[in-house]
Amino acid sequence: MEKKIAVIAGDGIGPEIVAQAVKVLDTVAKKYGHQFTYEPVDMGGVAIDRWGEPLPQAMLEKCLAADSVLLGAVGGPKWDTMPGHLRPEKGLLALRAGMGLYSNLRPAKLWQQLSAASPLKDVSKGIDFIVVRELIGGVYFGKHTTETVDGQQVATDTMSYSETEIERIGKIAFETARKRRKKVTSVDKANVLDTSRLWRAVMHRLAEQYPDVEYSDMLVDNAAMQLIKAPEQFDVIVTENMFGDILSDEASMLTGSIGMIPSSSMGEGTRGLFEPIHGSAPDIAGKDIANPVGTILSAAMMLKYSFGMEQEAAAIEQAVHTVLDKGLRTGDTMAEGCTQVSCTQMGDAIADCIGA
Ligand code: IPM
Ligand code: MG
């Protein structure tokens, strides 16, 4: 197959980790007879520096013209003092909204080789669940204002959800659960928020349409606790945008390192945005020590979800397995008896394994 992939290297460690994922994609293409072409796209801090805005319209259009989009990470201290609408993160949000990507899947799976890297004392029951995060609604996309009232500044962020927005992400969660262990936990704050009460009502309606899926509700504060107490209870967690942002970082750490976790963001079609869930890690940028696995696994998700290349995606996952078995680790997951490798060496090892 021929596929055009828009590639957003972004800021900080973005270019380093994306280079490794592209190398792995090239190996896959060679081995399985595909042709991938890459269209570089500026977004985030680099776009602010070069074009004066985090996501110029022409860049969004390049993404919309591609078959899928691979992203490293955006942001950094250099742009932290910029006004809200001129921050690198705004580019990411505009891209997600511009591409209509309402469904964000963030798998949290403990690779058994990384058990020692998990902060939990007993992970023998395994950790393997997926956070289904609503991505283009809620407080992230409500009206944001800062005004002066009675001589002091008052800031307001509005959170809203419509039934349609809740229902479409709910469906993704139930369908995802059907392909897994058939269990959905919907996380909300229905004891306080109207948006959560509507969320819960819509989820209950959907649950009736999926009688084969075990359904339960959980309040978000309890969910934060349950993730530490008994993470093995979860299969699919579905939640709104901000709760999903927070819980997916927590979930990722249970598996040893946020550097291992990929994500897919999709809308109605097959074109998606695939990125690791971590940020641009400016403190380690340019040192070739970042963990590229989250980005490489994001490329695997792209092959599977956007291009329907199941076998190719499995080959990447298998290669990650093999390389971890060999004891190769980047600094974030380094443990006794393992060999510490650079970002490039990790990418090479995974690519070599697929090519072999
Ligand atoms: C993520 C990130 C983003 C988010 C930031 C960079 C805007 O934390 O993808 O989880 O909050 O969605
Ligand atoms: Mg986040």
Side-chain angles (χ1 to χ4, degrees), residues 25-310:
L25 283 172
D26 278 338
T27 315
V28 167
K30 202 164 158 207
K31 174 150 179 180
Y32 293 90
H34 301 302
Q35 215 186 326
F36 298 147
T37 52
Y38 307 100
E39 175 79 9
V41 170
D42 291 334
M43 195 267 281
V46 283
I48 295 172
D49 290 352
R50 199 169 291 165
W51 309 102
E53 49 178 323
L55 180 65
Q57 182 63 24
M59 295 294 159
L60 172 61
E61 273 158 25
K62 281 188 185 193
C63 292
L64 291 172
D67 294 305
S68 217
V69 184
L70 180 68
L71 163 68
V74 294
K78 182 175 176 194
W79 306 280
D80 273 353
T81 49
M82 299 288 237
H85 70 286
L86 276 181
R87 288 184 61 108
E89 293 81 0
K90 198 76 195 179
L92 180 56
L93 299 183
L95 181 64
R96 289 171 178 171
M99 292 177 68
L101 310 173
Y102 61 81
S103 158
N104 182 215
L105 305 193
R106 301 186 158 195
K109 184 175 97 159
L110 180 72
W111 297 76
Q112 119 267 331
Q113 300 96 328
L114 295 188
S115 302
S118 172
L120 301 185
K121 47 179 195 292
D122 179 12
V123 289
S124 58
K125 291 184 192 137
I127 300 174
D128 182 5
F129 62 89
I130 190 158
V131 177
V132 177
R133 170 187 177 195
E134 197 293 320
L135 199 59
I136 53 174
V139 73
Y140 273 55
F141 288 90
K143 201 168 165 211
H144 308 289
T145 57
T146 306
E147 57 202 335
T148 307
V149 181
D150 296 335
Q152 65 168 333
Q153 293 218 302
V154 176
T156 309
D157 301 290
T158 318
M159 179 160 178
S160 89
Y161 268 108
S162 70
E163 289 181 273
T164 313
E165 286 175 310
I166 301 167
E167 194 174 295
R168 65 185 182 184
I169 192 69
K171 277 193 183 141
I172 302 278
F174 281 98
E175 294 294 338
T176 305
R178 271 195 173 154
K179 294 186 212 132
R180 297 174 48 98
R181 300 195 306 278
K182 297 195 169 52
K183 194 172 164 190
V184 168
T185 310
S186 169
V187 171
D188 62 37
K189 190 71 186 172
N191 52 349
V192 178
L193 302 176
D194 268 34
T195 43
S196 282
R197 285 189 275 271
L198 181 62
W199 180 278
R200 203 175 265 213
V202 174
M203 289 295 163
H204 282 209
R205 225 154 59 201
L206 271 177
E208 280 171 27
Q209 294 168 32
Y210 292 84
D212 53 318
V213 177
E214 188 190 328
Y215 175 86
S216 58
D217 306 298
M218 195 178 277
L219 294 173
V220 64
D221 45 353
N222 185 29
M225 183 180 75
Q226 294 296 335
L227 279 171
I228 307 287
K229 194 175 162 201
E232 70 279 357
Q233 72 184 286
F234 296 110
D235 178 24
V236 174
I237 293 177
V238 62
T239 191
E240 67 88 37
N241 204 345
M242 187 162 66
F243 297 159
D245 179 44
I246 298 167
L247 293 181
S248 63
D249 267 33
E250 183 188 359
S252 72
M253 194 55 224
L254 301 180
T255 70
S257 171
I258 194 170
M260 298 291 296
I261 311 289
S263 80
S264 77
S265 307
M266 314 258 317
E268 292 303 340
T270 58
R271 185 188 308 111
L273 171 67
F274 298 83
E275 52 173 323
I277 80 160
H278 62 72
S280 61
D283 50 323
I284 58 162
K287 297 187 180 157
D288 197 26
I289 59 171
N291 185 347
V293 174
T295 318
I296 290 170
L297 291 173
S298 299
M301 286 186 101
M302 170 187 291
L303 297 183
K304 185 165 160 182
Y305 292 115
S306 267
F307 305 158
M309 299 178 182
E310 301 261 348

